[in-house]
Each structure stands twice: as structure tokens, then as C-alpha cells.
Amino acid sequence: MKVLHLESGMHLYGGALQVAFLLRGLQRPGDEHVLACPQGSAIAEAARPHAARVHELPMGGDADVGLVGRLRRLIRAERPDLVHLHSRRGSDVWGGVAARLEGVPVVLSRRVDNPEPRAWARWKYRLYDRVIAISHGIREVLLACGVPADKVVCVHSSVDTERYRPGCHDRAWFQREFAIPDGAPVLAMVAQFIPRKGHRTLLDAMPAILAAHPRTRVLLFGQGPEQQAVRELIAARGLGDSVSLAGFRKDLDKVLPCIDVVVHPALMEGLGVALLQSAACGVPMVAARAGGIPEIVVDGRTGILVPPGDAEALAQGVNALLGSEALRRTYGQAGRALALEEFSIDAMVRGNRAVYEQVLATRRR
């Protein structure tokens, strides 16, 4: 089996990280996996040890119609049995068109939960032999948009449970690195700085959190276009002593086990890789009941769910966990167990391979 994978992300997180996991796990004698990705992208280097070949191509997003021609030439050169499209930014549609024009079956991974107009969805999803939703929440969104149920299968995203595991092994370093006073409870939010991630909801909840736990410190990890606006809002509300922008980190496996509670008040979310990482590290979570989040933040088992955009409920959930070490421990242990059981890399690889085999078997009939 030969598969051409297409990933258009530039940075090695989210969907691109899942592609790296998949390429690593799919290696099997007789199989061949080839990656097409943007020039200069982080996934190119990460994939080289695991892919037969890596092709770096110009990818200009939704308006880059020329991507169809570039992909058609690549498909003719590589002659794959199947094309797997892993991301949007134009590669979903133009990749689907290119594969169809070359007569090659095509699979799309869908990682976001925002709905699409039904008329557009009816046309777009005809391009694909199968759609892999990374959460049941995304699958339900696709069905509501009119995509046939037999075309959509759920295969959860994964987390490296060997790298992300419980145990803060260097608390002194952690406190120095992030200027955390002795004994201060620490919250973390790991997300792109974009409106739908809900940073403002967390800031709205901070007065109630600080009233109950005045020594609380909050670390906001990530980068994105809203970063400066959030920084200004922190200053305007006088939260600078409690809330810090901690930037994009490559050592979250070292940081997360030292966190008391991870907060994720996203308004929309496909699943949330940061939540998978937090659960694998045994960290309890408070999150919004949106998209695929309830599949990893199981209310009353691995964390607490609140309505999206509800700052009061968010504060109540955070305060409940900060007020009970026993509850934090119970939820953290359950999160680790769930990550091992349902979100392992092996399970994700098996699920994707099964889809490939089903699509190819159907084509042979």
C-alpha cells in the first residue's frame, strides 16, 4: 500500500503533529508513505525519518488554484494507491480535486468543528471516499451539514503517553522559569491566541478565582494574532501580577505535570491536543462543553465541563478543583487512564490504517 499524505500546516503542533505520529506508526514492510507539505515547514524535517520521501511544495491557501496542477504532477510521479488530506487551508478542496482528476481514492481528516453551509458541504464532500473525524463531536457537525453517515468515521487524535506522563520532577526549575511563588496554585491554558479559544472568558473569570484563591498564578501558553490584545486586556484589568503570557513552548511535557489545573474555555474545538497532553500528564481540567472536548474532559470523571462563554461557571469549576487536592488527584488519575485507553498513538494508527484498507477494498470491487 502506497499513500500520499498532504499536510499544509507550517508548525509542528495540532494536526501536523498528528501527521508526524501517523507517519511514524504506519511503517510496515511493503508499505510506502510519502508526504507533501509547504516549503520550510516544521513537519518536513519531523517526517523525514519516517516517510519514504518528503516533497516541499508552494502552498498558498484557499486561493491557490495552482496547487491542483502541482499535486496532479506529484500524484502522477508517485502513483499512490490513495491520497490522505490532513488539513484545510485550501489543501482539502484542491487536494480532493487533484486526486479525483487523477482517479486516485482520497481520504480527508477533519479536525475542526465549525459547520459549513449545506450546499457547499454536499459538493465538497463528494470529493472524498471517506472522511475521518478526529472526534464524535466533529462527526455530528458533518452529519448535520448533510454529509452521509456511512462516509464519516471517527478516529480520535492521539497523544504520546510515553513523553507526556505524570510527575513534576523539577519543581524548583518550574518555579524559577515562570516566577511562581512557593505554595501558589498554578492554572494553565495552552491554546493559539485566536478569539474562539476563549482567553477573554478566562480573564473574565479571574476576579472570582482570585477572590477565593488570591495567590493563584495563570500561565497562558501559545502564540497567535490575539496575543497583544490579550496582553493589553490583562494590563487594563490589573491582572499583571497573576496572569502571564508564557509563549510557545516545546517542553510542555516537562511543564504540564507541574500545573494544578488546566483551563480550556474554547467556544469551538475539534478535540484539543493540549487537553490530551494534560490528561496524559494526569492534570485535571476545567473546559467548555464544546465540540469534541467532552470526549477527553469527561464531566465528573477527568474534569469539569461548563457552558461556553460562561465566566461565572468557569470560575466555580476552577475554584472547586483548587479547593480539593483529593478531587484534583482523582480526576488526574482518571484522565491518565483515559488517555492510555482511548487516545494512544497505536489506536490512532490502527484506525487510520483500517480506513485505508476499507477504501481500497471498496475500490477493488
Side-chain angles (χ1 to χ4, degrees):
M1 176 170 57
K2 182 175 182 178
V3 181
L4 172 63
H5 301 262
L6 177 60
E7 167 58 50
S8 62
M10 289 296 297
H11 305 289
L12 194 60
Y13 55 74
L17 184 61
Q18 296 298 312
V19 176
F21 289 159
L22 182 61
L23 290 171
R24 186 177 75 189
L26 282 170
Q27 296 184 81
R28 178 185 287 184
D31 286 357
E32 192 173 353
H33 294 273
V34 179
L35 174 68
C37 59
Q39 295 171 320
S41 61
I43 183 67
E45 289 307 310
R48 289 192 199 281
H50 313 297
R53 281 168 298 286
V54 175
H55 299 274
E56 297 184 60
L57 305 177
M59 295 186 186
D62 292 333
D64 185 11
V65 183
L67 183 59
V68 174
R70 294 192 289 277
L71 290 175
R72 290 187 71 181
R73 289 191 290 274
L74 180 58
I75 291 169
R76 289 172 194 162
E78 287 288 354
R79 300 177 62 83
D81 300 306
L82 181 143
V83 172
H84 187 168
L85 310 172
H86 289 278
S87 54
R88 302 179 73 195
R89 303 181 186 89
S91 64
D92 53 350
V93 173
W94 302 132
V97 170
R100 281 294 177 210
L101 290 173
E102 294 302 317
V104 179
V106 58
V107 171
L108 171 72
S109 283
R110 169 81 180 204
R111 304 185 184 279
V112 294
D113 67 336
N114 52 299
E116 297 173 285
R118 289 181 66 90
W120 168 251
R122 278 197 299 270
W123 177 84
K124 174 182 173 180
Y125 289 93
R126 288 176 184 167
L127 294 170
Y128 316 117
D129 293 83
R130 196 78 84 248
V131 180
I132 299 175
I134 65 163
S135 70
H136 294 290
I138 293 175
R139 184 175 188 273
E140 292 303 315
V141 168
L142 290 171
L143 299 187
C145 291
V147 182
D150 61 356
K151 180 169 280 195
V152 189
V153 61
C154 176
V155 177
H156 279 135
S157 285
S158 63
V159 59
D160 186 341
T161 53
E162 289 300 309
R163 178 181 175 190
Y164 289 89
R165 52 191 311 124
C168 182
H169 299 299
D170 194 345
R171 185 164 292 278
W173 166 84
F174 173 73
Q175 290 185 230
R176 288 195 309 271
E177 183 75 4
F178 300 106
I180 305 296
D182 289 340
V186 184
L187 310 179
M189 179 175 172
V190 185
Q192 283 184 283
F193 281 82
I194 53 177
R196 67 184 178 90
K197 294 297 184 179
H199 291 86
R200 293 170 187 266
T201 303
L202 176 55
L203 296 183
D204 289 344
M206 284 308 300
I209 294 171
L210 291 171
H213 304 278
R215 303 189 66 218
T216 300
R217 297 295 185 269
V218 182
L219 302 175
L220 303 180
F221 295 99
Q223 57 192 7
E226 284 276 296
Q227 195 165 347
Q228 183 59 32
V230 170
R231 181 180 287 110
E232 292 171 359
L233 189 57
I234 290 168
R237 296 190 180 183
L239 295 172
D241 292 337
S242 302
V243 183
S244 303
L245 272 65
F248 178 78
R249 305 282 302 206
K250 295 183 178 180
D251 59 351
L252 284 176
D253 55 321
K254 184 178 180 181
V255 172
L256 284 173
C258 300
I259 302 297
D260 292 298
V261 179
V262 164
V263 185
H264 198 75
L267 305 176
M268 303 177 73
E269 188 67 83
L271 182 60
V273 170
L275 293 176
L276 299 181
Q277 294 167 341
S278 302
C281 289
V283 183
M285 300 162 284
V286 179
R289 192 187 298 274
I293 290 175
E295 293 165 47
I296 185 63
V297 184
V298 182
D299 195 32
R301 179 182 166 197
T302 67
I304 296 172
L305 290 173
V306 302
D310 191 332
E312 181 179 356
L314 186 69
Q316 290 173 353
V318 169
N319 286 336
L321 284 178
L322 290 183
S324 174
E325 183 178 351
L327 191 60
R328 294 199 302 273
R329 186 183 310 112
T330 298
Y331 285 176
Q333 290 172 347
R336 172 70 181 175
L338 184 62
L340 289 169
E341 181 181 347
E342 297 189 19
F343 297 94
S344 70
I345 293 175
D346 285 347
M348 184 268 288
V349 171
R350 287 195 304 270
N352 278 270
R353 183 184 292 280
V355 172
Y356 301 162
E357 292 172 349
Q358 292 164 7
V359 168
L360 293 175
T362 301
R363 279 294 186 104
R364 294 189 193 107
R365 292 174 188 165

